Amino acid sequence: MDNDDLLPLLCATAQGDKNAFSSLYQQTSGKLFAISLNMLTNRAYAEEALQDAFIKIWHNASEYNASKGTVISWMISIVRYRSLDSLRYHKVRKEQSLGDDEYEHENESVDVNYDEETKLVNCIEQLEPQQKQAIHLAYYKGLSHSELVDHIETPLGTVKSWIRRGLMQLQRCLTL
């Protein structure tokens, strides 16, 4: 699934082509559902977030800007934001499904399990441990900045700096 395969489908979707949208859904829904399920840990909420994301993709396909990233990264960001909205709406947090002991250990070290070896994974592995942890908790677990401050017991400015510098490092690494 690369941008060359998805871009024509998204362009056709922007023109109202339901068959192209169906193909786009078939090619991406599994990966996007996995992202949503990882964030929400609740299958029903993940399905709802994915459905909302695809509705947004259908309505906003013409707003995709290739200069800002690939089609799949654009779609992932939509799913991620829909999942975060669901977290807020349902007040569901990943730590609620974890035992206290397991959640405490998560504070010590972040061991992200990715299914496939990708350039992003390699770039994430190059981050400093604090940056990696802050980005993981914010983007994969859905914690807000204030929740991060409480969780890792670090000042807000420091948390924001870790995230900002980590994202800048990821961007540099991914563009090499």
Side-chain angles (χ1 to χ4, degrees):
M1 167 178 28
D2 63 17
N3 205 45
D4 293 339
D5 295 335
L6 300 180
L7 184 57
L9 294 174
L10 187 64
C11 291
T13 297
Q15 300 298 320
D17 185 335
K18 292 177 183 176
N19 291 329
F21 182 69
S22 176
S23 293
L24 186 67
Y25 179 87
Q26 289 172 345
Q27 290 185 34
T28 61
S29 61
K31 181 176 186 165
L32 298 177
F33 178 70
I35 291 167
S36 184
L37 185 60
N38 184 45
M39 290 179 69
L40 296 169
T41 69
N42 178 303
R43 187 173 190 85
Y45 294 160
E47 288 171 353
E48 180 183 346
L50 184 67
Q51 180 180 352
D52 290 346
F54 271 102
I55 290 169
K56 185 165 180 74
I57 290 165
W58 170 258
H59 289 294
N60 297 321
S62 62
E63 294 178 16
Y64 167 71
N65 182 345
S67 68
K68 293 185 178 182
T70 63
V71 171
I72 194 65
S73 65
W74 179 73
M75 294 174 73
I76 287 170
S77 70
I78 292 172
V79 168
R80 184 180 163 279
Y81 286 119
R82 290 294 164 202
S83 296
L84 288 172
D85 288 345
S86 181
L87 279 172
R88 290 181 192 108
Y89 179 77
H90 297 289
K91 296 186 179 172
V92 174
R93 294 282 185 241
K94 179 112 175 162
E95 65 266 21
Q96 290 174 341
S97 66
L98 299 173
D100 290 339
D101 292 338
E102 188 175 350
Y103 191 63
E104 288 301 318
H105 292 295
E106 185 178 0
N107 191 18
E108 297 167 8
S109 168
V110 175
D111 182 27
V112 182
N113 294 323
Y114 298 95
D115 291 335
E116 55 187 6
E117 190 69 19
T118 65
K119 189 172 184 178
L120 176 61
V121 173
N122 292 332
C123 291
I124 288 173
E125 292 303 320
Q126 295 174 25
L127 294 175
E128 293 178 20
Q130 303 93 340
Q131 293 172 335
K132 184 178 173 181
Q133 180 184 34
I135 289 172
H136 176 75
L137 292 172
Y139 289 92
Y140 290 95
K141 302 291 186 183
L143 271 63
S144 68
H145 285 125
S146 60
E147 290 169 323
L148 273 167
V149 166
D150 293 340
H151 178 68
I152 59 179
E153 298 174 346
T154 305
L156 179 61
T158 303
V159 169
K160 285 183 174 183
S161 291
W162 287 343
I163 292 173
R164 185 181 68 251
R165 285 193 312 256
L167 291 175
M168 287 170 39
Q169 185 176 339
L170 284 175
Q171 184 178 24
R172 282 191 302 271
C173 180
L174 290 169
T175 57
L176 294 177

